[in-house]
Structure formats: structure tokens, C-alpha cells
Amino acid sequence: MNKYVLTALLTAAPFSVALAQSQLVVGYEADATSLDPAQVTDLNTMHVLSHMYDTLVKLGPDGTFLPALASKWQMSKDGLTYTFTLRPNLKFANGDSLDADAVVFSFNRQLDKTNPGYKFGPFPFADFYYGSVSSIRKVNASTVEFKLKSPNSAFMAALSVPTGSVVNPKQALAKGKTFALSGGGSGPYVLEKWNRGGQLILKSNARYWGSKPSSDKLIWVPMVQESQRAVALQSGTVDIVINPASENLAKLKSGGYTIAQKAGPHIWWLGLNLTKAPFDNKLVRQALNYAVDRKAITDGVLYGTGTSAVQPLAPMQLGYNPNVNPYTYDPKKAKELLTQAGYPNGFTTTLLVPTSGSGMQSPTQMGTAIQAYLGQIGVKVNIQQMDWGTFLSKVGAGAAKSNLDMWELSWMDTAVDPAFVLDPLLSSKSFPPGFNTGEYKNTAVDTLMDQGRAEADPKKRAVIYQKAMAMVNEDVPWVFVDHAQQVVAYSSKVKGMALDPISPFILKLSGVSKP
């Protein structure tokens, strides 16, 4: 062999070894927004952060809570005090100790205005998840105590979501606002590099307390266009894609790619302005629900990536009621109800539709299909389309203030607890600026929601929420449409890939590899 060639090969050896590191390339729907878990509200970022951070507890495949950073915990008899014991010798990825002080800081920086980390917010979900907390204190280096203002059965679920991630206090305070660009956690991966709008690369955390990740690196590539994701998978540019275009799924399957899909705690609906006619009339709302063919939409528009919905809770959630009115497609009955309501010739209305949006599936196509169905019963729907940011501003201000008629919307609950769907969306305490944008109010439902939060027994709690679901199904404050399924397509070379059976919308890849 020519000595110069041999020298070149030897010189290149370290580079070849680096390339030999195992890695997974994932195409996801949009770039991450922040690497501070307490600031995040979007699902795309949660995919990334679930690999960088740990919470005290995690949700198990059967819906029970399992140890994470906390090895054990106990609740006082009155339901007001939760005490957590941390695993021994925990470390953040940079080597700093993860102890009770870090846990206290991670929550107090979100809740306590006097905490030095509070000024580096905002922390949008802090009150939503942890508003029931009255105090958090360090008992000793490995023990943390939470005191609640009142019993809250959703509290453990709130600790399992990304907002409850434990961050490195030293890094968070030293970096301030720029902490969002690098983060600092204890998860199986740590940030290596982030080109904003481009690749976000995570590398294996050598100090991780759990099992070593199966892949040395996770490379996240934002792909905004649905069709782009399928093309990237077929070309070998990526190994895994999240939510490729529904119409591409059959082609991907026939091409030898695996499609994993699972319904999760998601609801897609048409909001209705209950403060004005005709939507203040329950008969009208029931008519609209009978007028829409949900199965045709989930099959024809969503290509089987959704399941019909007639209540806010999805089938895997505690409190889901399988015995409510299914509102089967029945345009004749819908017309009869409109006539009873005083609208024999229907009416004209406006439907607000976003061009895109997290969890919004195919908003334009779905809006057009619903427009056609309602037209069959004499309801003329004018579609008003706008970008996601403008849409959220109008809907967020409240239907009454923005003078809206109908609008598309969705909600996804990472905690999989009924309280985190029903309380924000349907409680009369959540009128705008809360998320109850249509201003639905039923005092009996409000009472049941309060009882559901306070009840500790899961079986009794389920019965309470099922009663609430029956009432909401009868009132139909929305036009219910579907529960979305998480859809992930991946190469046959990928091993160990599985969607979480309870909460499939956050991808978990530490056990996935491409040998």
C-alpha cells in the first residue's frame, strides 16, 4: 500500500470512530422554542425536553405513578402534605449534585416572586399545574415536602409533566434568560449543539442515573411541511418522522416503513359562542352535533389517524364515559331539532379556521368538510381563515369579546388527568382570559369537577367524572369531532420503537436505536 494512502487512513481513523457513534435522526413538526422546561407550552419542544430532564415521578404504562428522581413518596391522611425521598447520589449532566435544594428551587422559581429565578420567566403553566401548592420546603438533603392549600388528586399527575422538571439552579441563575438556549437537567441526554431553525443535537449523558441510552446521539430536524417528512424518511435523511401527512401513510407502509399510531388524551372540536343566539340554544347545539359525520371525517380527511369524539375526555382517561349519546350522523334529526329551536330554515354563521397549529390536524380540510355537512341542514357556514398567531389572539381573548360564532380548537393533556382537560376548558372559573372561551357554565358540572379534584379514590373519582361527561354530552357546548392519534413512521432499521400506551404524544427514544 502506498505509504501516503496508509498515513491518510490512519490520520482519518479518529474521524471514522466518531462517525461510528450510534445516532437517531428525527424529523419533527417544528423547531424547539426553549430548553427551559418551565417555559414550554408546545409539544415539539416537549419531545426534546423529555430526554434532557427528569421529574420526581413519571406516568407508568397502566396509568399509575412510578419512581423517577424520587424513589418513594407518601401523602398525609388529610391529602395536604406530600413528602418525596430522592434517589441517592443524583447528578445533573454537568456533574453538579441534584438534591432537595434543586427540587425546591425548580418549583419556587415558578411560584414565588421573591425567588431569584422568578424574574427569568414567564412560566405560563405554573399556576395551572401548581396553584394548589402553599409551600415547598427541604426537609433534608434528600427529602422534599409539598404542602397544598386543599386536597388535589391531580397533583401527582402535575408532577409528571415537563413543567415539573428539576433544573440545575446554578446553571439557571448564572445564565438567566439565556438558560432557555442551553438548559441544564439530569435526563438521559444533554445538549451538544442547537442551530436555531435547524438541527438540535443531543448526546448521551454519562452521569445519567438510569439505564444508558441505546443511541449515542439524538438529532432533531424541524420539518414544517407534512409531505416533507415522508420524503425525508424515504430518502434516508431521517430515521423517524412525527406526524407525516395522513395521505402519505399508505405509500410509506407499502414501501416497508413501519407506522406506529395510537390515540392519546387529545380532543378536537368546534367552539361555540354560548353568549349569543343561536348557540345559546341547546337544541341548536345538539342539531349541529347530529349533522356532522365524524367517522367520514376521521376516515376520509384524517385517513384513520383520529377516532370519533362525543365528550372531552379520551378513552384512555379516567372518567371517560362509554355510555353517552354517540350523536350518530343523522341530518334528518338535526333538521328536526333546528325546527324545534325556531330555525326551520337554518341560519348563517362564521367559522374561524387556522392555517395550521399544534394539535390541529388538518384544520382547513376539516373545516371545509364540516362546512359541507352543516350546509346540508340549512346552516350556511362562511369560513374565515387566518394564521395561527392571529387565530390564538382572537380565540384567547374570548368569543364574546372577539364576537366569534364558531372556531376550531384542540387540547392535548400530557398529564392524562381529567382535571387538566375539564377544569381549564369547561369550568365557569375559567372564563376568558382562561381557556373556557365559549363561556360554558353548568353549576352541577362545576360541582362535580371540584369533587373530582378532591376525591382520592380513583374508582370514586372516575364515577364523578363520568357523571360530568354525561352532563357535558347532553349540553354539547361544542361540536365534538375527534381524538387525534399520534402517528410516527420509521425505518425498518430502527429497533425498540414503541409509543407510550397512555401518553403517546411525547416521544421517548432513550431505548431506541439503529444498529
Side-chain angles (χ1 to χ4, degrees):
M1 179 180 289
N2 184 296
K3 67 178 182 179
Y4 297 108
V5 175
L6 179 59
T7 301
L9 288 171
L10 291 173
T11 304
F15 180 67
S16 299
V17 171
L19 283 180
Q21 283 190 315
S22 60
Q23 63 182 35
L24 280 175
V25 184
V26 185
Y28 65 149
E29 294 170 282
D31 193 18
T33 57
S34 168
L35 300 185
D36 183 338
Q39 294 182 351
V40 170
T41 60
D42 68 291
L43 189 58
N44 295 299
T45 307
M46 291 181 191
H47 287 309
V48 175
L49 299 190
S50 67
H51 297 88
M52 293 179 64
Y53 293 91
D54 293 309
T55 51
L56 289 172
V57 296
K58 61 183 179 181
L59 194 63
D62 60 353
T64 59
F65 296 102
L66 302 176
L69 290 177
S71 59
K72 60 182 180 179
W73 55 90
Q74 61 183 24
M75 180 184 73
S76 62
K77 290 183 178 180
D78 62 6
L80 296 177
T81 304
Y82 288 74
T83 306
F84 294 86
T85 301
L86 302 178
R87 294 176 185 272
N89 304 315
L90 290 170
K91 300 285 185 183
F92 286 106
N94 72 341
D96 290 341
S97 293
L98 192 166
D99 54 16
D101 287 323
V103 177
V104 173
F105 171 83
S106 296
F107 288 92
N108 275 343
R109 72 177 181 129
Q110 302 181 55
L111 299 168
D112 183 0
K113 294 181 180 180
T114 66
N115 186 280
Y118 185 86
K119 62 185 176 183
F120 300 125
F123 305 115
F125 279 161
D127 286 337
F128 176 67
Y129 284 125
Y130 311 116
S132 63
V133 175
S134 61
S135 67
I136 310 161
R137 75 178 184 95
K138 167 187 174 182
V139 177
N140 55 49
S142 61
T143 309
V144 181
E145 179 186 87
F146 290 78
K147 289 277 191 182
L148 305 188
K149 301 170 187 174
S150 58
N152 180 3
S153 290
F155 179 63
M156 287 291 289
L159 294 179
S160 72
V161 301
T163 308
S165 298
V166 176
V167 304
N168 187 323
K170 292 180 182 178
Q171 291 179 310
L173 291 174
K175 295 182 179 181
K177 286 287 187 181
T178 62
F179 180 68
L181 300 176
S182 57
S186 61
Y189 289 91
V190 62
L191 181 69
E192 178 178 284
K193 187 177 182 180
W194 186 15
N195 297 320
R196 300 298 298 271
Q199 289 188 352
L200 189 157
I201 304 174
L202 301 181
K203 63 180 180 181
S204 177
N205 172 15
R207 297 184 176 92
Y208 183 52
W209 56 268
S211 300
K212 176 180 168 58
S214 298
S215 296
D216 297 312
K217 292 187 180 183
L218 294 181
I219 302 174
W220 302 84
V221 183
M223 297 179 172
V224 178
Q225 298 298 323
E226 287 180 312
S227 57
Q228 179 189 10
R229 290 171 224 143
V231 171
L233 182 61
Q234 291 169 314
S235 69
T237 305
V238 300
D239 305 306
I240 299 170
V241 290
I242 301 171
N243 291 332
S246 300
E247 59 266 28
N248 295 148
L249 296 182
K251 187 175 181 180
L252 287 173
K253 287 179 182 177
S254 64
Y257 298 94
T258 302
I259 310 296
Q261 61 186 85
K262 187 173 289 292
H266 171 281
I267 176 67
W268 196 102
W269 74 92
L270 293 192
L272 305 174
N273 187 345
L274 307 186
T275 69
K276 70 176 186 178
F279 306 111
D280 58 350
N281 189 319
K282 182 170 71 173
L283 295 177
V284 170
R285 302 195 300 268
Q286 291 177 339
L288 298 180
N289 275 271
Y290 278 113
V292 175
D293 190 340
R294 295 165 182 78
K295 189 174 189 308
I297 289 176
T298 57
D299 290 348
V301 178
L302 299 177
Y303 294 85
T305 61
T307 55
S308 297
V310 289
Q311 60 188 294
L313 296 180
M316 76 291 301
Q317 291 183 285
L318 182 143
Y320 174 81
N321 190 332
N323 301 313
V324 297
N325 185 346
Y327 289 104
T328 51
Y329 178 53
D330 192 340
K332 180 180 178 181
K333 185 174 183 65
K335 288 181 180 180
E336 291 173 353
L337 288 168
L338 280 184
T339 299
Q340 291 177 38
Y343 298 92
N345 300 314
F347 54 89
T348 299
T349 187
T350 299
L351 172 62
L352 204 61
V353 175
T355 53
S356 63
S358 177
M360 291 305 294
Q361 301 172 287
S362 300
T364 301
Q365 297 93 317
M366 291 176 77
T368 302
I370 292 170
Q371 178 188 47
Y373 283 124
L374 297 187
Q376 292 176 2
I377 64 167
V379 176
K380 181 181 178 182
V381 177
N382 297 314
I383 290 178
Q384 183 181 359
Q385 201 161 19
M386 59 185 58
D387 68 90
W388 183 236
T390 306
F391 173 89
L392 286 180
S393 295
K394 279 188 170 291
V395 174
K401 184 175 181 179
S402 298
N403 195 29
L404 304 181
D405 291 344
M406 304 194 301
W407 58 95
E408 298 179 350
L409 209 54
S410 71
W411 186 266
M412 195 275 292
D413 170 29
T414 57
V416 202
D417 190 280
F420 296 131
V421 176
L422 304 181
D423 287 9
L425 300 181
L426 294 170
S427 170
S428 60
K429 300 173 186 175
S430 298
F431 280 8
F435 295 110
N436 185 353
T437 51
E439 299 193 16
Y440 171 67
K441 183 176 182 178
N442 182 322
T443 54
V445 172
D446 281 343
T447 298
L448 287 169
M449 286 191 284
D450 290 341
Q451 291 174 353
R453 264 191 182 266
E455 177 56 59
D457 186 324
K459 291 183 179 179
K460 293 179 180 178
R461 198 169 179 234
V463 171
I464 291 169
Y465 282 121
Q466 285 174 346
K467 289 179 181 178
M469 287 303 87
M471 292 181 185
V472 171
N473 172 269
E474 169 70 16
D475 286 343
V476 281
W478 308 334
V479 176
F480 296 106
V481 181
D482 83 297
H483 301 295
Q485 295 185 359
Q486 173 70 293
V487 181
V488 177
Y490 55 95
S491 162
S492 59
K493 297 178 181 179
V494 172
K495 305 300 179 186
M497 181 69 210
L499 296 180
D500 188 294
I502 296 292
S503 183
F505 288 104
I506 296 182
L507 226 55
K508 297 166 185 175
L509 300 174
S510 61
V512 182
S513 64
K514 186 183 70 174

